Amino acid sequence: MSKTHILLLCGGGAAEHSISLMSADYIESCLANIPDMEVLRLELDAAGHYHTKQGQVCELTNRREVRFDEAEPSWPVDYVIPCIHGYPGETGDIQSYFNLINLPYFGCGSEPSSNCFNKVTAKMWFSALGIPNTPYLFLSEAGEAANTRCREALNEWGSLFIKAASQGSSVGCYRVDNGDDIPSVLEQAFSYSPYVVVEKTIKARELEVAVYEYQGEVIATVPGEIICANNTFYSFDEKYDAKSKAVTKVEAELSQAQIDTIRDYAIRAFKGMKLSHLSRIDFFLTDEGEILLNEINTFPGMTPISMFPKMLSNNGHDVSEWLVSNIRRQLSEPLK
């Protein structure tokens, strides 16, 4: 039996490096018992170097193979799963290289990944697709002009979220209720990204939808819910710290009309932004009943506590079967 050689990449060296390794553990377990698939797992470090679990340094070449030292033969690559949260996976950078060497890969393409990861372009897309989202303004540099705009927004909205435009898992995301904090918070946000998004703080329930492709169909699950401790938001620590007080529900208590609207928005965003295979799409439900799209994660967490695999399973699909079916379906089609 000829085997499909699948390269599982993880790490990336950015803020979400350790979470990426946990997600790769889960994906590796899903593929462990597939007889016609052979998986090689490599970790990408902050210097852009690949190495095996054993620490052996190697490289992914433009001949679609993993090259070790001269004493060991190269490993052919048929397909890649870029399990990298944040840079360079969800930013679209590594997908651009795969496109260049005609190497098929799992997940969203380079341009959709970039459009979703950058909060500036993402919100422009949401608005262009007619999907309601939070009131916002954009900043391209720190300084007194930016401070003034934020103070004016704070006076109008009462509370702000200042977010680095190109980060994931709430990295570089800060709530501001006091105008005196604005200069220092902006400085922190700009240390993560050259662009910053300032949003109105929304008092709302936090809802998440797993949207994925299965047998050629785009499916949106029933929304799940994140319930944080009072006056907190779902920060990086709240997501992954063992001491987190956040509670997750795989199915949120919602009316059928609310469920239908959220799923409609989610599928509209997935199709309109040309996403592929998987995404987790996050919404706010305000006290006034308004549904607002918050953000899209093009390679959501795949850890044992992550919402995406839990919602997919709750929707009646096996994660391993879903993953393998997408790989096989894609490999049977000609490269675009």
Side-chain angles (χ1 to χ4, degrees):
M1 176 189 299
S2 61
K3 291 196 174 186
T4 300
H5 292 81
I6 296 177
L7 179 61
L8 175 59
L9 296 181
C10 56
E16 301 172 77
H17 183 101
S18 61
I19 309 305
S20 170
L21 303 187
M22 295 169 61
S23 290
D25 289 341
Y26 184 87
I27 291 175
E28 197 170 16
S29 69
C30 288
L31 298 176
N33 297 315
I34 309 302
D36 61 338
M37 292 186 178
E38 184 174 344
V39 178
L40 173 65
R41 171 173 169 162
L42 296 182
E43 184 176 333
L44 177 65
D45 63 26
H49 299 145
Y50 295 102
H51 57 84
T52 65
K53 278 185 175 181
Q54 294 73 33
Q56 184 179 12
V57 177
C58 53
E59 62 177 329
L60 173 61
T61 75
N62 58 8
R63 295 183 177 181
R64 301 192 296 275
E65 61 184 16
V66 175
R67 182 183 298 161
F68 301 94
D69 57 36
E70 295 180 358
E72 188 170 345
S74 298
W75 197 85
V77 179
D78 300 311
Y79 192 86
V80 180
I81 302 176
C83 179
I84 300 174
H85 307 312
Y87 175 82
E90 286 184 279
T91 59
D93 291 86
I94 203 164
Q95 289 86 351
S96 293
Y97 177 65
F98 300 151
N99 292 338
L100 186 65
I101 65 174
N102 293 317
L103 180 58
Y105 55 90
F106 186 76
C108 300
S110 56
E111 187 173 6
S113 297
S114 176
N115 286 338
C116 289
F117 193 77
N118 187 302
K119 295 178 177 64
V120 175
T121 54
K123 292 185 77 66
M124 289 179 174
W125 268 101
F126 302 161
S127 297
L129 291 169
I131 303 173
N133 54 95
T134 54
Y136 59 89
L137 59 92
F138 301 144
L139 301 174
S140 58
E141 61 182 359
E144 192 51 43
N147 296 341
T148 299
R149 291 185 69 192
C150 287
R151 290 191 186 99
E152 291 172 350
L154 181 64
N155 290 335
E156 179 182 354
W157 295 337
S159 177
L160 307 174
F161 267 99
I162 294 177
K163 303 178 179 180
S166 299
Q167 286 293 325
S169 280
S170 304
V171 175
C173 179
Y174 312 93
R175 176 169 172 164
V176 175
D177 299 307
N178 187 327
D180 294 338
D181 297 333
I182 288 173
S184 62
V185 170
L186 282 177
E187 184 177 350
Q188 292 179 70
F190 274 110
S191 73
Y192 285 103
S193 171
Y195 307 101
V196 164
V197 175
V198 180
E199 294 180 329
K200 177 182 179 180
T201 298
I202 303 295
K203 186 178 181 181
R205 294 167 64 184
E206 298 187 38
L207 307 173
E208 300 186 343
V209 180
V211 187
Y212 56 95
E213 290 183 288
Y214 187 68
Q215 296 181 352
E217 181 183 358
V218 176
I219 296 170
T221 66
V222 172
E225 183 168 10
I226 309 297
I227 303 172
C228 297
N230 290 336
N231 207 34
T232 65
F233 70 99
Y234 204 36
S235 66
F236 184 89
D237 289 338
E238 283 294 306
K239 289 178 182 179
Y240 299 113
D241 195 313
K243 298 179 182 178
S244 172
K245 296 181 180 179
V247 176
T248 60
K249 290 185 176 181
V250 178
E251 289 194 23
E253 295 180 10
L254 300 166
S255 70
Q256 190 59 51
Q258 290 170 328
I259 293 171
D260 292 344
T261 298
I262 291 170
R263 293 172 86 174
D264 173 69
Y265 286 161
I267 291 176
R268 192 191 306 179
F270 190 98
K271 292 182 175 180
M273 296 185 74
K274 307 297 183 183
L275 308 187
S276 303
H277 297 151
L278 79 167
S279 68
R280 197 194 71 238
I281 303 184
D282 301 347
F283 291 87
F284 292 136
L285 175 61
T286 71
D287 292 348
E288 295 73 33
E290 189 176 15
I291 295 168
L292 304 172
L293 201 166
N294 179 29
E295 65 179 7
I296 297 176
N297 294 265
T298 53
F299 208 107
M302 298 288 284
T303 74
I305 63 170
S306 296
M307 286 290 278
F308 179 87
K310 289 167 70 174
M311 289 189 289
L312 186 147
S313 297
N314 184 66
N315 201 46
H317 291 131
D318 178 79
V319 176
S320 179
E321 183 182 339
W322 158 77
L323 180 63
V324 170
S325 69
N326 272 294
I327 294 172
R328 286 180 173 153
R329 184 183 183 90
Q330 188 176 0
L331 287 174
S332 69
E333 298 173 348
L335 282 173
K336 297 180 180 179

